[in-house]
Amino acid sequence: MPGYPVTVDPELAPIMDRYLELRRAGLTVLRAAIETGDLPTVIRQGHVLRGSGGSYGLTRLTQLGGAIEDAGRRGDVDEAARLAKAVEEFIDNVDISYQGRKPAMRILMLAINDPAGTAIQFCKALNRYTAHSARLVTLETRYTHGWEKDLHVPDLGPDGMEEIAILMREADVFHFHMTCDENQPFGPLKPADYIKGKTVVHHHHGHHDFRSDPESFRAKYRKLGRTNLLVSTPDLLKLLPEARWQPNLVPIDDPLLKPMWGRYDDPGQLKVCHSPTRKDLKNTDEFLAAVKYVNRRNVYLSVDMIDDAPNHECLARKRRCHALFDHMQGYYGVSSLEGLSQGLAVIAALDEWNRARIGEFAGTDDLPWLTATNQDELADLLLRLALDREYCEQTGEAGRSFMEACWSDRRIASDLATYYESL
């Protein structure tokens, strides 16, 4: 068999063997699906290869994964089988060497508003952990959470606007968040006037315009020939299957995102927090009803409903709690990641699709989220956490360990940097 020399970043060395092991396991699943004609699984396994190969510097796997996904959509199992054999040949014969990253890139993120403060965290992590330089330009402030800003147009004078013009002119990558695109004015400046020759990335975070009509966005990207598409949670891949899932990050070593000492020394009430930006979308009514059910059984919960608070205050209040309720929509929010990092027992009703995608990303099926899919299950779970503090504490410790091992901001930044370099 021929060899396949590949040069990747040295930071990937500790996890490359594990990644290839996971891909071999995925091949077993793929072959079984091909033999039984299970086309959804063929498509899913191809999608995993397409999405993950580039993150590990293995563009050949990305290419083969995309071809397998296409073959599955066409129902061509013979072609899928041929491609699966090519994947096996590559994995068995890849010759990996480790060298430094490609030359540093200048990445300009643009958003009407920063979704849950995620864009600024991407910029900070890229600047901290990679050779690349990232900046963020925003236009509006929504909610009152006080997320950190970089270049916020309403706060800028002539010098600040001139800096944005320079950044637009000099950027290698335009990274648009949510509904923002090159036609969005930022004061007197419009990215369309600077976009020629740039790499363009579109990143969706579940904005209601996108959720309600994803096909309009897909049609726009097809017309423009845009293929560099990201989504922030796995459920959005169903709306934009051409995209790559780019997990959000939290800076796990920030003091506000570390577990609080002595939290379990107090034998008093179990403290549970909930921080909905949209109560109608976060199952807040069901949460409060479940709390009421528990309290009627003389097992009282202390609830911190965090609403319209600055982000630093929100994190400080969460950190003093024992458990966190995210929501029951089938996926997870940034609040989940914050709670796991803080060592809280985190409750969210992850569905099978999201659990599978997260397991593939994390390299383990042992996920730390506690699951409640309806009000009754949530009430039972809260009751158990209140009565069994050891279980609650162990769940929180498992969440923190998971974030350190599988979801650190260093790893996410490295994955995103590798993605940019592959474009």
Side-chain angles (χ1 to χ4, degrees), residues 15-33:
I15 58 175
M16 184 61 76
D17 287 345
R18 176 59 176 159
Y19 173 71
L20 293 175
E21 180 184 335
L22 289 171
R23 297 287 64 83
R24 289 189 179 93
L27 265 177
T28 301
V29 175
L30 175 62
R31 286 201 182 93

Side-chain angles (χ1 to χ4, degrees), residues 55-332:
S55 296
Y56 287 82
L58 305 178
T59 54
R60 174 64 173 160
L61 289 185
T62 293
Q63 296 164 353
L64 290 170
I68 290 170
E69 188 175 7
D70 291 341
R73 295 188 189 283
R74 297 194 309 270
D76 191 343
V77 292
D78 290 338
E79 176 66 3
R82 185 189 70 78
L83 293 164
K85 185 175 181 181
V87 171
E88 179 183 29
E89 179 183 315
F90 177 84
I91 290 175
D92 287 345
N93 294 278
V94 64
D95 181 13
I96 298 173
S97 59
Y98 297 95
Q99 293 182 9
R101 292 191 184 277
K102 294 180 181 179
M105 303 174 75
R106 293 162 293 193
I107 298 139
L108 184 61
M109 296 194 181
L110 300 121
I112 297 173
N113 68 294
D114 185 0
T118 54
I120 191 65
Q121 293 297 352
F122 280 126
C123 285
K124 291 173 68 176
L126 286 165
N127 291 329
R128 183 183 302 120
Y129 296 120
T130 79
H132 306 307
S133 173
R135 300 296 301 274
L136 171 64
V137 183
T138 49
L139 192 60
E140 297 178 6
T141 299
R142 298 178 186 173
Y143 309 112
T144 58
H145 299 152
W147 284 299
E148 186 178 346
K149 301 178 181 67
D150 182 6
L151 292 162
H152 188 57
V153 170
D155 298 339
L156 301 179
D159 289 349
M161 296 308 301
E162 177 62 20
E163 183 176 0
I164 293 177
I166 293 170
L167 291 171
M168 287 186 177
R169 185 171 63 247
E170 299 297 327
D172 298 303
V173 178
F174 275 8
H175 184 145
F176 295 108
H177 288 270
M178 294 203 295
T179 59
C180 186
D181 62 21
E182 64 268 31
N183 296 311
Q184 174 63 54
F186 288 83
L189 304 172
K190 186 180 286 188
D193 296 331
Y194 300 85
I195 204 168
K196 184 177 180 180
K198 313 294 186 188
T199 296
V200 178
V201 175
H202 292 278
H203 194 160
H204 285 280
H205 300 259
H207 189 280
H208 59 85
D209 287 351
F210 173 65
R211 286 189 181 277
S212 63
D213 188 12
E215 187 54 40
S216 66
F217 290 87
R218 297 181 72 193
K220 179 176 75 171
Y221 299 146
R222 286 194 296 267
K223 182 178 179 180
L224 294 172
R226 304 275 170 81
T227 58
N228 305 323
L229 310 176
L230 301 175
V231 293
S232 62
T233 52
D235 58 295
L236 298 179
L237 290 171
K238 296 180 180 180
L239 305 181
L240 192 64
E242 306 89 344
R244 171 185 182 269
W245 170 38
Q246 173 57 58
N248 287 327
L249 63 83
V250 295
I252 64 172
D253 291 323
D254 185 304
L256 284 175
L257 285 158
K258 286 187 173 182
M260 188 172 194
W261 298 346
R263 187 167 32 187
Y264 283 89
D265 295 343
D266 181 359
Q269 295 176 345
L270 185 82
K271 299 180 180 67
V272 185
C273 58
H274 179 50
S275 56
T277 50
R278 290 274 305 272
K279 293 184 176 67
D280 55 329
L281 298 178
K282 301 295 184 179
N283 302 103
T284 300
D285 289 344
E286 291 94 329
F287 169 66
L288 293 176
V291 169
K292 189 174 182 179
Y293 170 89
V294 174
N295 287 346
R296 282 175 175 170
R297 277 140 187 83
N298 297 322
V299 182
Y300 297 105
L301 301 174
S302 174
V303 174
D304 190 354
M305 181 68 67
I306 307 172
D307 188 19
D308 277 345
N311 183 241
H312 65 88
E313 178 187 330
C314 178
L315 292 176
R317 288 165 62 179
K318 284 180 180 178
R319 192 166 173 255
R320 293 193 290 269
C321 294
H322 304 102
L324 177 149
F325 172 66
D326 193 349
H327 57 70
M328 296 187 290
Q329 298 298 315
Y331 50 99
Y332 65 90

